Amino acid sequence: MSVNEKKFIQTALLSDLRIDGRGPFDFRTLTIKFGREDGSSEVQLGQTHMMGFVTSQLVEPYRDRPNEGSLSIYTEFSPMADPSFEAGRPGEFAVELDRIIDRGLSLLAQGLNLKIENLTGTNHWVFSFSGKRAVDTESLCVLAGKLVWSIRIDLHILDNGGNLVDASNVAALTALLTFRRPEVTLGGDDNQEVIVHPPEVREPLPLILHHLPIAVTFAFFGDDNAVVIDPTHYEEAVMGGRMTATLNTNGDVCAIQKAGGDGVIQSVIMQCLQIASVKAADITTEIRKALTSSGVKGMLGAGSSLVPHASLKLYLMSCFDLSCGKRGWITNEVIGSCAVVGSKEILGWCSRLLLEMCSDSRGCFQQVIAGRRPVTFTPAAPSKVETYNTERALRKIKRHTSSVAVDIDGPGNLRKDISPSSEQKAIGGISSPLLERLKLVSEENNVDKRKHMEGNNFSEKEIYQNDGIGNSKNFIGGPSSRASCNETILKSDQETDALFFPLLVVSQLARCCHAIWTIRFWISISHGKLLPNKKSEELRGDERTSEANSEEPAEEPKAVASETEALETNMQSNGSKTLLDAVKPKNQRKKKAAHANDAR
Amino acid sequence: MEDKASTSPASFINQAVVPGDVVLDLTNFSNQTIKLGGGLYQDSDAISVMKAGKLKFSKPNKYWVESSQKRYVPCVEDHVLGIVVDSRSDNFLVDIKGPALAFLPVLAFEGGTRRNIPRFEAGTLLYVRVVKANVGMNPELSCMDASGKAAEFGPLKDGYMFESSTGLSRMLLSSPTCSILEALGKKVSFEIAVGLNGRVWVNAESPSNIILVSNAIMRSESLSRVQQQIMVDKLFQRIQGS
């Protein structure tokens, strides 16, 4: 580097000019590209060129953290990047750089603040997360204490045009966002056998990232503390000191690193942090744009805060995985639940999210959000999911409605028929019939619900209780009882209301909640039969009605089991109602009204 | 291959050629002396290309392959910009972006004697001439022209130096004056020193002018004459506007 260059860079900075024509606080153009494989990204920040690759491996966890996976970062300084990078042994500069990059990115690996509680002795977990860690390592746990996922990020520096820290940070984040790990299920007799499903068999899963920590590097020159952002390698050769601030768009400062160099006064540092927060937001939008434009399904949810939406979904998914052994399909009556801390926006996201999940062929979910009371989210595996056509066909027959079908299936989505036997075998030899249930646990909206339900005529066997906490309960009565009851036919509008009930619940709650909520989603899927009066032989084993059940969580498993059996043995033919039915217009309603009138 | 050998060599001039192309057939050239420059290799009667680039011809009989690279291969009589790395008792070690450091004898200055050896610190930018350039040896430089005069050689003060490719340097040094320098010269006054090793030094009164000129030159490498003109016009419109 010639003396002329050095002097010139400094004199130009006195007049706030940089040699490439940028302003002191301008970033260079950031280009993000993705490779064909999941978890590979290529980032260009001006002349600096980096590639990031993410791979995963099943390993034993650390002894002191048996529930967490691990994240490790490796940086490779290719000699083609810079003449000072030697192949093989890294030079002094390379080692220092490696440390800075690793420290900045280790924010990604910090432990997840997740609590897993086992409530009431059943397979009922409560996942609550708070705090802001980037990569959720507890979701990487497969078998506690035995097997966890170890995520490895490899960064390759292809061209050193300055500011390697920021570029490598972006490369690592984008690679993590596009990475998909194989799905793992627990099988075998004692659920200790781990089956890793290849991507052709099961869709691989993304990682859970709570937020994106973005690193912004500042360079200081001369005695007057001239500051520039994103130094080029010329500026780096001339600068007196460097500082890297890592922030996210939630306004948290994740890290500040300043390793040696010129001293800087405090006001300058504060100013730098403010600038960095603006830049972090810019870079986050760039990353999002790149993800959406490349069609890669990233983890970024709607809204400004990334934390609740995407991570909640993946929590739920992962909890299904962990507890269910199969995405959305459980072998046992397993109840997983999750706690979400967030604002009313989050509620909205959660409801949307759960609707999304319902729309997968996992069965129906019904979410209920209790006021301040946790609502637990129970995924139950459906043994069969009806196709819309079957339901339609069944509806045409005069049925006896035994319960409210509260399906949240996503509008227009079909529940697919899956033959129980094959599924059961696939699930791992579960012989017991699977029951889908919908449970409504709602405190505040009990009144509303009752209003909706009141109009329904239920069979005697159907108990619609309000327990002490104000939850309404609804049991599926025995089929014999159903058969005998001819009067209980839901009016279509009520059905509609009932179907929409949870949505209303959610929206009402969303409207009225102000503070931070703790919400646990209690969802269960049940099959139930709505359509009355069909011979059991015809429809047995094929249809189930979805019901709205409210129950104490503790009682749930046992009650479920018993009812399952009851239902199973005495299943009447009832068609199940989906949301689609609810929105189905007049012809059905008329039918229902006609039926109701007839029945009476 | 043989088809190409039979076609006239004129078809290859100013065309892109790749290693392996046979561009001249010496059977057509009886009793003529042909001078081969860089990138060409004689294989009995066929002249084939060794380096990818454009085949150039200069009357009466010079052929060579021209290409643009970031690294410089020292050639005799090239004028280059060097940075002093170290000084020894009898010569300076100068980096000219070549495979080896070049030697600049301490006496290779106009009126240079043992008494008035110049003092160059590490990092000094010099405009020098390559005197010897043999493969495998360190090149030798001089701050005098062939007749012993200083002739603009020597250290360059102030200004700003940037590095680009050898192709850009050749374009800047071409005659008639390349359009980018012409266009810039009409708006800004500046002085420029171009080294054939890809280094360019720019000096002007204000730092903003220096930055303007150097960035404009850096971007003009891939543009045609007309495009360069347009780029400069747009640039100055933007500056005057803002």
Side-chain angles (χ1 to χ4, degrees), chain A residues 287-330:
Chain A
I287 293 178
R288 263 191 228 176
K289 248 195 289 178
L291 275 175
T292 50
S293 68
S294 76
V296 173
K297 273 191 181 174
M299 304 231 341
L300 305 177
S304 57
S305 166
L306 303 175
V307 176
H309 185 189
S311 43
L312 171 60
K313 175 165 190 169
L314 290 151
Y315 270 131
L316 298 177
M317 282 165 58
S318 61
C319 86
F320 295 165
D321 296 342
L322 291 175
S323 62
C324 304
K326 218 181 191 184
R327 248 166 66 178
W329 302 85
I330 56 165

CSV table of all heavy atoms in Angstrom, one decimal, chain A residues 287-330:
chain,number,residue,atom,x,y,z
A,287,ILE,N,-32.4,-9.4,3.5
A,287,ILE,CA,-32.4,-10.8,3.6
A,287,ILE,C,-33.7,-11.4,3.3
A,287,ILE,O,-33.9,-12.4,2.6
A,287,ILE,CB,-31.9,-11.2,5.1
A,287,ILE,CG1,-30.4,-10.9,5.3
A,287,ILE,CG2,-32.1,-12.7,5.3
A,287,ILE,CD1,-29.9,-11.2,6.7
A,288,ARG,N,-34.7,-10.7,3.9
A,288,ARG,CA,-36.1,-11.2,3.6
A,288,ARG,C,-36.5,-11.1,2.2
A,288,ARG,O,-37.1,-12.1,1.6
A,288,ARG,CB,-37.1,-10.3,4.4
A,288,ARG,CG,-37.5,-10.8,5.7
A,288,ARG,CD,-38.6,-10.1,6.2
A,288,ARG,NE,-38.4,-9.7,7.6
A,288,ARG,CZ,-39.1,-8.9,8.3
A,288,ARG,NH1,-40.2,-8.4,7.8
A,288,ARG,NH2,-38.8,-8.7,9.5
A,289,LYS,N,-36.1,-10.0,1.5
A,289,LYS,CA,-36.4,-9.9,0.1
A,289,LYS,C,-35.7,-11.0,-0.6
A,289,LYS,O,-36.3,-11.7,-1.5
A,289,LYS,CB,-35.8,-8.6,-0.4
A,289,LYS,CG,-36.9,-7.6,-0.8
A,289,LYS,CD,-36.3,-6.5,-1.6
A,289,LYS,CE,-35.5,-5.5,-0.8
A,289,LYS,NZ,-34.9,-4.4,-1.6
A,290,ALA,N,-34.5,-11.3,-0.3
A,290,ALA,CA,-33.7,-12.3,-1.0
A,290,ALA,C,-34.4,-13.7,-0.8
A,290,ALA,O,-34.5,-14.5,-1.7
A,290,ALA,CB,-32.3,-12.4,-0.5
A,291,LEU,N,-34.9,-13.9,0.4
A,291,LEU,CA,-35.5,-15.2,0.7
A,291,LEU,C,-36.8,-15.4,-0.1
A,291,LEU,O,-37.1,-16.4,-0.7
A,291,LEU,CB,-35.8,-15.3,2.2
A,291,LEU,CG,-34.7,-15.8,3.1
A,291,LEU,CD1,-35.2,-15.8,4.5
A,291,LEU,CD2,-34.3,-17.2,2.7
A,292,THR,N,-37.6,-14.3,-0.1
A,292,THR,CA,-38.9,-14.4,-0.8
A,292,THR,C,-38.7,-14.5,-2.3
A,292,THR,O,-39.3,-15.3,-3.0
A,292,THR,CB,-39.8,-13.3,-0.4
A,292,THR,OG1,-39.1,-12.1,-0.6
A,292,THR,CG2,-40.3,-13.4,1.0
A,293,SER,N,-37.8,-13.7,-2.8
A,293,SER,CA,-37.6,-13.7,-4.2
A,293,SER,C,-37.0,-15.0,-4.7
A,293,SER,O,-37.3,-15.4,-5.8
A,293,SER,CB,-36.7,-12.5,-4.7
A,293,SER,OG,-35.4,-12.7,-4.2
A,294,SER,N,-36.2,-15.6,-3.9
A,294,SER,CA,-35.7,-16.9,-4.4
A,294,SER,C,-36.6,-18.0,-4.1
A,294,SER,O,-36.3,-19.2,-4.5
A,294,SER,CB,-34.3,-17.2,-3.6
A,294,SER,OG,-34.6,-17.6,-2.3
A,295,GLY,N,-37.7,-17.8,-3.5
A,295,GLY,CA,-38.7,-18.8,-3.4
A,295,GLY,C,-38.4,-19.8,-2.2
A,295,GLY,O,-39.1,-20.7,-2.0
A,296,VAL,N,-37.3,-19.5,-1.6
A,296,VAL,CA,-36.9,-20.4,-0.5
A,296,VAL,C,-37.9,-20.1,0.7
A,296,VAL,O,-38.1,-18.9,1.1
A,296,VAL,CB,-35.5,-20.2,-0.1
A,296,VAL,CG1,-35.1,-20.9,1.2
A,296,VAL,CG2,-34.6,-20.6,-1.2
A,297,LYS,N,-38.4,-21.1,1.3
A,297,LYS,CA,-39.3,-20.9,2.4
A,297,LYS,C,-38.5,-20.6,3.6
A,297,LYS,O,-37.9,-21.5,4.2
A,297,LYS,CB,-40.2,-22.1,2.6
A,297,LYS,CG,-41.4,-22.1,1.8
A,297,LYS,CD,-42.3,-23.1,2.3
A,297,LYS,CE,-43.6,-23.1,1.5
A,297,LYS,NZ,-44.4,-24.2,1.8
A,298,GLY,N,-38.4,-19.3,3.9
A,298,GLY,CA,-37.6,-19.0,5.1
A,298,GLY,C,-38.5,-19.1,6.3
A,298,GLY,O,-39.6,-19.4,6.3
A,299,MET,N,-37.9,-18.6,7.4
A,299,MET,CA,-38.6,-18.7,8.6
A,299,MET,C,-39.2,-17.4,9.0
A,299,MET,O,-39.6,-17.2,10.1
A,299,MET,CB,-37.7,-19.1,9.7
A,299,MET,CG,-37.0,-20.4,9.4
A,299,MET,SD,-37.1,-21.4,10.6
A,299,MET,CE,-37.5,-20.3,11.9
A,300,LEU,N,-39.1,-16.5,8.1
A,300,LEU,CA,-39.5,-15.1,8.5
A,300,LEU,C,-41.0,-15.0,8.4
A,300,LEU,O,-41.6,-15.2,7.4
A,300,LEU,CB,-38.8,-14.1,7.6
A,300,LEU,CG,-37.3,-14.3,7.6
A,300,LEU,CD1,-36.7,-13.3,6.7
A,300,LEU,CD2,-36.7,-14.1,9.0
A,301,GLY,N,-41.6,-14.6,9.4
A,301,GLY,CA,-43.0,-14.4,9.4
A,301,GLY,C,-43.4,-13.0,9.1
A,301,GLY,O,-42.6,-12.2,8.8
A,302,ALA,N,-44.7,-12.8,9.1
A,302,ALA,CA,-45.2,-11.5,8.8
A,302,ALA,C,-44.9,-10.5,9.9
A,302,ALA,O,-44.7,-11.0,11.1
A,302,ALA,CB,-46.6,-11.5,8.4
A,303,GLY,N,-45.0,-9.4,9.7
A,303,GLY,CA,-44.9,-8.4,10.7
A,303,GLY,C,-43.4,-8.1,11.1
A,303,GLY,O,-42.5,-8.7,10.6
A,304,SER,N,-43.3,-7.2,11.9
A,304,SER,CA,-41.9,-6.7,12.2
A,304,SER,C,-41.2,-7.6,13.1
A,304,SER,O,-40.0,-7.7,13.0
A,304,SER,CB,-42.0,-5.3,12.8
A,304,SER,OG,-42.8,-5.4,14.0
A,305,SER,N,-41.9,-8.2,13.9
A,305,SER,CA,-41.2,-9.1,14.9
A,305,SER,C,-41.2,-10.5,14.4
A,305,SER,O,-42.2,-11.1,14.1
A,305,SER,CB,-41.8,-9.0,16.2
A,305,SER,OG,-41.3,-10.0,17.0
A,306,LEU,N,-40.0,-11.1,14.3
A,306,LEU,CA,-39.9,-12.4,13.7
A,306,LEU,C,-40.2,-13.4,14.8
A,306,LEU,O,-40.5,-14.6,14.5
A,306,LEU,CB,-38.5,-12.7,13.2
A,306,LEU,CG,-38.0,-11.7,12.2
A,306,LEU,CD1,-36.5,-12.0,11.9
A,306,LEU,CD2,-38.8,-11.8,10.9
A,307,VAL,N,-40.1,-13.1,16.0
A,307,VAL,CA,-40.1,-14.1,17.0
A,307,VAL,C,-41.3,-15.0,17.1
A,307,VAL,O,-41.2,-16.2,17.0
A,307,VAL,CB,-39.8,-13.5,18.4
A,307,VAL,CG1,-39.8,-14.5,19.4
A,307,VAL,CG2,-38.4,-12.7,18.3
A,308,PRO,N,-42.4,-14.4,17.3
A,308,PRO,CA,-43.5,-15.4,17.7
A,308,PRO,C,-44.0,-16.3,16.6
A,308,PRO,O,-44.1,-17.4,16.7
A,308,PRO,CB,-44.6,-14.5,18.2
A,308,PRO,CG,-44.0,-13.1,18.2
A,308,PRO,CD,-42.9,-13.1,17.3
A,309,HIS,N,-44.2,-15.7,15.4
A,309,HIS,CA,-45.0,-16.4,14.4
A,309,HIS,C,-44.2,-17.7,14.0
A,309,HIS,O,-44.7,-18.8,14.1
A,309,HIS,CB,-45.3,-15.5,13.2
A,309,HIS,CG,-46.1,-16.2,12.2
A,309,HIS,ND1,-46.3,-15.6,11.0
A,309,HIS,CD2,-46.7,-17.4,12.2
A,309,HIS,CE1,-47.1,-16.4,10.3
A,309,HIS,NE2,-47.4,-17.5,11.0
A,310,ALA,N,-43.1,-17.4,13.4
A,310,ALA,CA,-42.4,-18.6,12.8
A,310,ALA,C,-42.0,-19.5,13.9
A,310,ALA,O,-42.1,-20.7,13.7
A,310,ALA,CB,-41.2,-18.0,12.0
A,311,SER,N,-41.4,-19.0,14.9
A,311,SER,CA,-40.9,-19.9,15.9
A,311,SER,C,-42.0,-20.7,16.6
A,311,SER,O,-41.9,-21.8,16.9
A,311,SER,CB,-40.1,-19.2,16.9
A,311,SER,OG,-40.7,-18.0,17.3
A,312,LEU,N,-43.2,-20.0,16.7
A,312,LEU,CA,-44.3,-20.8,17.3
A,312,LEU,C,-44.6,-21.9,16.5
A,312,LEU,O,-44.8,-23.1,16.9
A,312,LEU,CB,-45.5,-19.8,17.5
A,312,LEU,CG,-46.7,-20.5,17.9
A,312,LEU,CD1,-46.5,-21.2,19.2
A,312,LEU,CD2,-47.9,-19.5,18.0
A,313,LYS,N,-44.7,-21.7,15.2
A,313,LYS,CA,-45.1,-22.8,14.3
A,313,LYS,C,-44.2,-23.9,14.4
A,313,LYS,O,-44.5,-25.1,14.5
A,313,LYS,CB,-45.1,-22.3,12.9
A,313,LYS,CG,-45.4,-23.4,11.9
A,313,LYS,CD,-45.8,-22.8,10.6
A,313,LYS,CE,-46.3,-23.9,9.7
A,313,LYS,NZ,-46.9,-23.4,8.5
A,314,LEU,N,-42.9,-23.6,14.5
A,314,LEU,CA,-41.9,-24.6,14.5
A,314,LEU,C,-41.9,-25.3,15.9
A,314,LEU,O,-41.5,-26.4,16.0
A,314,LEU,CB,-40.6,-24.1,14.1
A,314,LEU,CG,-40.8,-23.9,12.6
A,314,LEU,CD1,-39.9,-22.7,12.1
A,314,LEU,CD2,-40.5,-25.1,11.8
A,315,TYR,N,-42.2,-24.5,16.9
A,315,TYR,CA,-42.3,-25.1,18.2
A,315,TYR,C,-43.4,-26.2,18.1
A,315,TYR,O,-43.2,-27.3,18.6
A,315,TYR,CB,-42.7,-24.1,19.2
A,315,TYR,CG,-41.6,-23.5,19.9
A,315,TYR,CD1,-41.6,-22.1,20.0
A,315,TYR,CD2,-40.6,-24.2,20.4
A,315,TYR,CE1,-40.5,-21.5,20.6
A,315,TYR,CE2,-39.5,-23.6,21.0
A,315,TYR,CZ,-39.5,-22.3,21.1
A,315,TYR,OH,-38.4,-21.6,21.7
A,316,LEU,N,-44.5,-25.8,17.6
A,316,LEU,CA,-45.6,-26.7,17.5
A,316,LEU,C,-45.2,-27.9,16.7
A,316,LEU,O,-45.4,-29.1,17.1
A,316,LEU,CB,-46.8,-26.0,17.0
A,316,LEU,CG,-47.3,-24.9,17.8
A,316,LEU,CD1,-48.5,-24.2,17.1
A,316,LEU,CD2,-47.7,-25.3,19.2
A,317,MET,N,-44.6,-27.6,15.6
A,317,MET,CA,-44.2,-28.7,14.7
A,317,MET,C,-43.2,-29.6,15.4
A,317,MET,O,-43.3,-30.8,15.4
A,317,MET,CB,-43.6,-28.2,13.4
A,317,MET,CG,-44.6,-27.8,12.5
A,317,MET,SD,-43.9,-26.8,11.2
A,317,MET,CE,-42.7,-27.9,10.5
A,318,SER,N,-42.3,-29.0,16.1
A,318,SER,CA,-41.3,-29.8,16.7
A,318,SER,C,-41.8,-30.5,17.9
A,318,SER,O,-41.4,-31.6,18.2
A,318,SER,CB,-40.1,-28.9,17.1
A,318,SER,OG,-40.5,-28.0,18.1
A,319,CYS,N,-42.8,-29.9,18.6
A,319,CYS,CA,-43.3,-30.6,19.7
A,319,CYS,C,-44.1,-31.8,19.2
A,319,CYS,O,-44.2,-32.8,19.8
A,319,CYS,CB,-44.1,-29.7,20.6
A,319,CYS,SG,-45.8,-29.5,20.2
A,320,PHE,N,-44.7,-31.6,18.0
A,320,PHE,CA,-45.4,-32.8,17.5
A,320,PHE,C,-44.4,-33.9,17.2
A,320,PHE,O,-44.6,-35.0,17.4
A,320,PHE,CB,-46.1,-32.4,16.2
A,320,PHE,CG,-47.2,-31.5,16.4
A,320,PHE,CD1,-47.7,-30.8,15.3
A,320,PHE,CD2,-47.7,-31.2,17.6
A,320,PHE,CE1,-48.8,-29.9,15.4
A,320,PHE,CE2,-48.7,-30.3,17.8
A,320,PHE,CZ,-49.3,-29.7,16.7
A,321,ASP,N,-43.3,-33.4,16.6
A,321,ASP,CA,-42.3,-34.4,16.2
A,321,ASP,C,-41.8,-35.2,17.4
A,321,ASP,O,-41.7,-36.4,17.4
A,321,ASP,CB,-41.1,-33.7,15.6
A,321,ASP,CG,-41.5,-33.0,14.3
A,321,ASP,OD1,-42.5,-33.4,13.8
A,321,ASP,OD2,-40.7,-32.2,13.9
A,322,LEU,N,-41.5,-34.4,18.4
A,322,LEU,CA,-40.9,-35.0,19.6
A,322,LEU,C,-41.9,-35.9,20.3
A,322,LEU,O,-41.6,-37.0,20.7
A,322,LEU,CB,-40.5,-33.9,20.6
A,322,LEU,CG,-39.3,-33.1,20.2
A,322,LEU,CD1,-39.0,-32.0,21.2
A,322,LEU,CD2,-38.1,-34.0,20.0
A,323,SER,N,-43.1,-35.4,20.3
A,323,SER,CA,-44.0,-36.2,21.1
A,323,SER,C,-44.8,-37.2,20.3
A,323,SER,O,-45.3,-38.2,20.7
A,323,SER,CB,-45.0,-35.3,21.8
A,323,SER,OG,-45.7,-34.6,20.8
A,324,CYS,N,-44.9,-36.9,19.0
A,324,CYS,CA,-45.8,-37.6,18.2
A,324,CYS,C,-45.1,-38.7,17.5
A,324,CYS,O,-45.7,-39.7,17.1
A,324,CYS,CB,-46.5,-36.8,17.2
A,324,CYS,SG,-47.4,-35.4,18.0
A,325,GLY,N,-43.9,-38.5,17.1
A,325,GLY,CA,-43.3,-39.5,16.3
A,325,GLY,C,-43.6,-39.4,14.9
A,325,GLY,O,-43.2,-40.1,14.1
A,326,LYS,N,-44.5,-38.5,14.6
A,326,LYS,CA,-44.9,-38.3,13.2
A,326,LYS,C,-45.5,-36.9,13.1
A,326,LYS,O,-46.1,-36.5,14.0
A,326,LYS,CB,-45.9,-39.4,12.9
A,326,LYS,CG,-45.8,-39.9,11.5
A,326,LYS,CD,-46.8,-40.9,11.3
A,326,LYS,CE,-46.6,-41.7,10.0
A,326,LYS,NZ,-47.7,-42.6,9.7
A,327,ARG,N,-45.2,-36.3,12.1
A,327,ARG,CA,-45.7,-35.0,12.0
A,327,ARG,C,-47.2,-35.0,12.1
A,327,ARG,O,-47.9,-35.4,11.1
A,327,ARG,CB,-45.2,-34.3,10.8
A,327,ARG,CG,-44.2,-33.2,11.1
A,327,ARG,CD,-43.5,-32.8,9.9
A,327,ARG,NE,-44.3,-32.1,9.0
A,327,ARG,CZ,-43.9,-31.6,7.8
A,327,ARG,NH1,-42.6,-31.7,7.6
A,327,ARG,NH2,-44.6,-31.0,7.0
A,328,GLY,N,-47.7,-34.4,13.1
A,328,GLY,CA,-49.2,-34.3,13.2
A,328,GLY,C,-49.9,-35.5,13.5
A,328,GLY,O,-51.1,-35.5,13.8
A,329,TRP,N,-49.2,-36.6,13.4
A,329,TRP,CA,-49.9,-37.9,13.7
A,329,TRP,C,-49.3,-38.4,15.0
A,329,TRP,O,-48.1,-38.6,15.1
A,329,TRP,CB,-49.7,-38.9,12.6
A,329,TRP,CG,-50.1,-38.4,11.3
A,329,TRP,CD1,-49.4,-37.6,10.5
A,329,TRP,CD2,-51.4,-38.6,10.7
A,329,TRP,NE1,-50.2,-37.3,9.4
A,329,TRP,CE2,-51.4,-38.0,9.5
A,329,TRP,CE3,-52.5,-39.3,11.1
A,329,TRP,CZ2,-52.5,-38.0,8.6
A,329,TRP,CZ3,-53.6,-39.4,10.2
A,329,TRP,CH2,-53.6,-38.7,9.0
A,330,ILE,N,-50.1,-38.7,15.9
A,330,ILE,CA,-49.5,-39.2,17.1
A,330,ILE,C,-50.0,-40.7,17.3
A,330,ILE,O,-51.0,-41.1,16.9
A,330,ILE,CB,-49.9,-38.4,18.4
A,330,ILE,CG1,-51.4,-38.3,18.5
A,330,ILE,CG2,-49.3,-37.0,18.2
A,330,ILE,CD1,-51.8,-37.8,19.8
